[in-house]
Amino acid sequence: MRNKGISALACAALITGAAVFGGAAPAAARATAATGETGAASGEAGAKAKAPGAKADQSDTADAVRERLEKIPGMKVVSVAEKEGHPLYTLTYVQPVDHRKPGGATFTQRATLWHKSTDKPTVLYTSGYTLPGGTASLTKLIDANQVSVEHRYFGQSRPSGAAGDDWSKLTVQQEAADEHRLTRALRTIEKGKWLGTGASKGGMTATYHERFYPDDLDAVVAFVAPNDANNRDDSGYERFFETVGTKECRDALNAVQREMLVRRATLLPKFEADAKANGDTFEETLGTTDRAYEFAVLDQVWNFWQSGTAADCPTVPDAKKATDDQLYGWSKEHGLSVYRDEDLGTNGSGPYYRQAATQLGWADLKFKHLKGVRHYPDLYQPNSVLPAAMRGTYGNRTVADVDRWVKSRGERMMFVYGQNDPWSAERFTPSRRDSYRYVVPGANHGASIAKLPEAERTKAVATIKRWANVK
């Protein structure tokens, strides 16, 4: 599971600061790493600004757009700021808790609109977690308006009262319906092409939106989006860890991971001392420091490759020769992700793990090299890091359906993956309907279009600009 630290469940974490676990987002691993989604894009911005002295369109002024936003039923303009000379509207939008029962309970979903011009393209940007800040690389590339949206049940976009404790409404379909309503509402203002984007769990969310509402967006560009279409088959992840980097690096990492468990008696007290100093607790989720320690160790190698590169391999210590302090100190800086109660509940990365446990799936790695030194064989799964009230039962019908649809019917979809990113080990396969997949050589979970070889980068940029109808 990766989270702030970096792990399998940490995919989501890299982008939001939460960890991700085997395809999702463990507590410490993947959460805060910057991904290619928000990185600088290659190529010049598309549409040009109006020439100096050109008469402004009075229907496109900041006040006029605000007035139109406030006329949308359920929409509230919370504040207006200026970003790079253009208005940035902070919004809330009333959504049904259950789109199958639109007359029932509601909640307010947070969003922002960075408006440049109604005739420019618009990028719908989601992190798959809390409200994303900053500017998406796609927005920079095509000089677009940007709508950023917070995922339901994350951050402040959570129902209140009993509805907020009903985790059955945190589903792929319900979030897609949220974004569908928001998109249709804002398309009454932003008239250009609309492109969806996101990285990691954000890329997954954009893909799910496209599958269930294919008429909303004109194209989707998803970065490092995991696709665990068959949660029972983790052979893709197993192959990744058997082939990534060099054999010398893989062996060294596996040896360190094993030694961390072999020396549990002397290293666990260091972990406990850190936990006490940081105020970390584990009673509500993993239960004990011993279980939390083992879970953190299980995430190490995943997190190393998620956020690091082959250039970090020379730093791996000799597992047998390293002292306890050297072994523990290196591990803390290279993938030892701590899953603590404070980060895993309702207001942390808990909603991600809930989704992993019920729909998104996770990498249930075999860890053959750890035989005989694990205390908890069934520990490495998302329900282990969730409070009891948030745990759920897995079903893969939805993600399997999305996988088939993307392969056969998806149109104008682009997927960008990292060669050395464990989250990219199980990928979406695009159809032949003007859809593409690129793999960035040597890249981790921060893979971006800018890091592609020149010929592929040029082709990808040209495709996106064609989709956005900009030069």
Side-chain angles (χ1 to χ4, degrees):
M1 314 227 116
R2 295 82 207 113
N3 209 35
K4 296 175 181 174
I6 306 236
S7 18
L9 290 183
C11 159
L14 263 188
I15 299 178
T16 64
V20 186
F21 163 57
R30 309 184 173 93
T32 50
T35 65
E37 209 294 309
T38 55
S42 64
E44 297 180 357
K48 296 182 179 179
K50 293 180 180 179
K55 186 175 181 180
D57 182 350
Q58 295 304 307
S59 67
D60 206 11
T61 64
D63 288 343
V65 171
R66 176 171 187 160
E67 183 178 350
R68 295 174 71 183
L69 286 168
E70 291 176 333
K71 288 182 178 179
I72 296 173
M75 187 76 73
K76 179 180 179 181
V77 178
V78 177
S79 64
V80 185
E82 185 177 287
K83 177 179 177 180
E84 299 177 18
H86 301 287
L88 175 66
Y89 304 90
T90 298
L91 311 169
T92 60
Y93 188 48
V94 177
Q95 297 275 21
V97 172
D98 186 349
H99 287 273
R100 297 167 301 182
K101 300 176 181 179
T106 62
F107 74 102
T108 54
Q109 187 170 39
R110 288 199 303 167
T112 60
L113 168 61
W114 185 31
H115 174 79
K116 297 177 182 177
S117 173
T118 56
D119 60 4
K120 285 183 179 291
T122 297
V123 167
L124 179 65
Y125 172 36
T126 175
S127 71
Y129 298 91
T130 56
L131 184 65
T135 305
S137 61
L138 202 62
T139 303
K140 297 177 183 178
L141 177 62
I142 58 177
D143 189 25
N145 307 306
Q146 179 174 300
V147 174
S148 301
V149 59
E150 184 166 79
H151 198 292
R152 63 165 44 211
Y153 284 77
F154 286 84
Q156 297 177 32
S157 297
R158 183 179 175 222
S160 60
D165 296 324
D166 182 3
W167 296 101
S168 68
K169 303 303 183 293
L170 174 57
T171 67
V172 164
Q173 296 94 326
Q174 295 282 3
E175 172 62 20
D178 289 342
E179 296 188 10
H180 167 65
R181 290 187 71 247
L182 181 65
T183 299
R184 302 315 295 181
L186 293 179
R187 286 200 79 146
T188 62
I189 298 173
E190 309 297 7
K191 302 295 188 178
K193 299 289 187 179
W194 276 62
L195 285 75
T197 195
S200 194
K201 187 170 181 288
M204 299 162 75
T205 304
T207 301
Y208 301 149
H209 180 179
E210 176 70 5
R211 186 270 172 266
F212 292 109
Y213 299 96
D215 294 332
D216 280 0
L217 305 170
D218 296 286
V220 166
V221 181
F223 295 86
V224 293
N227 177 35
D228 200 345
N230 182 357
N231 197 47
R232 293 182 177 181
D233 180 8
D234 289 317
S235 57
Y237 294 117
E238 296 290 352
R239 282 194 300 273
F240 173 87
F241 287 108
E242 291 170 358
T243 57
V244 64
T246 64
K247 184 178 186 304
E248 290 75 16
C249 189
R250 295 193 299 272
D251 289 348
L253 287 168
N254 287 345
V256 165
Q257 191 176 35
R258 181 178 178 84
E259 196 68 14
M260 289 288 288
L261 295 179
V262 168
R263 301 193 203 181
R264 189 191 301 250
T266 56
L267 297 182
L268 179 58
K270 296 180 182 295
F271 181 85
E272 291 174 332
D274 282 345
K276 183 177 181 180
N278 296 327
D280 299 342
T281 62
F282 310 103
E283 288 78 10
E284 297 298 319
T285 53
L286 283 160
T288 67
T289 53
D290 191 51
R291 286 169 60 88
Y293 176 75
E294 182 164 315
F295 203 104
V297 171
L298 294 179
D299 247 1
Q300 272 191 274
V301 178
W302 182 294
N303 292 340
F304 177 91
W305 290 112
Q306 176 181 300
S307 297
T309 69
D312 298 310
C313 288
T315 71
V316 183
D318 184 315
K320 295 297 183 182
K321 295 180 179 179
T323 65
D324 288 347
D325 285 342
Q326 289 171 336
L327 193 64
Y328 185 70
W330 182 87
S331 296
K332 283 177 62 177
E333 299 299 321
H334 296 85
L336 191 69
S337 55
V338 181
Y339 292 76
R340 55 183 191 166
D341 292 341
E342 299 92 312
D343 298 326
L344 296 167
T346 297
N347 296 319
S349 56
Y352 161 75
Y353 290 106
R354 164 71 192 197
Q355 287 193 277
T358 55
Q359 286 189 305
L360 305 184
W362 64 94
D364 188 10
L365 303 177
K366 294 182 174 63
F367 298 110
K368 293 179 182 178
H369 62 289
L370 301 181
K371 184 177 181 180
V373 295
R374 295 177 63 183
H375 288 180
Y376 313 102
D378 299 324
L379 183 66
Y380 202 65
Q381 51 97 12
N383 277 326
S384 293
V385 298
L386 284 171
M390 294 181 68
R391 295 169 190 162
T393 301
Y394 179 77
N396 88 317
R397 177 178 297 181
T398 298
V399 294
D401 167 78
V402 174
D403 175 67
R404 289 190 295 268
W405 186 88
V406 170
K407 286 179 182 176
S408 62
R409 300 179 61 187
E411 295 184 43
R412 295 182 298 281
M413 303 187 76
M414 183 180 294
F415 298 92
V416 179
Y417 290 103
Q419 179 189 15
N420 290 349
D421 171 29
W423 288 111
S424 297
E426 292 197 355
R427 314 164 181 171
F428 283 102
T429 299
S431 73
R432 297 183 179 181
R433 300 185 177 195
D434 196 12
S435 297
Y436 311 90
R437 184 172 70 189
Y438 294 97
V439 179
V440 182
N444 59 17
H445 205 50
S448 67
I449 290 172
K451 297 177 182 178
L452 284 168
E454 183 177 0
E456 292 186 318
R457 181 174 66 248
T458 299
K459 182 178 178 181
V461 168
T463 298
I464 292 169
K465 289 187 174 183
R466 171 170 57 83
W467 288 341
N469 195 28
V470 299
K471 296 181 179 180

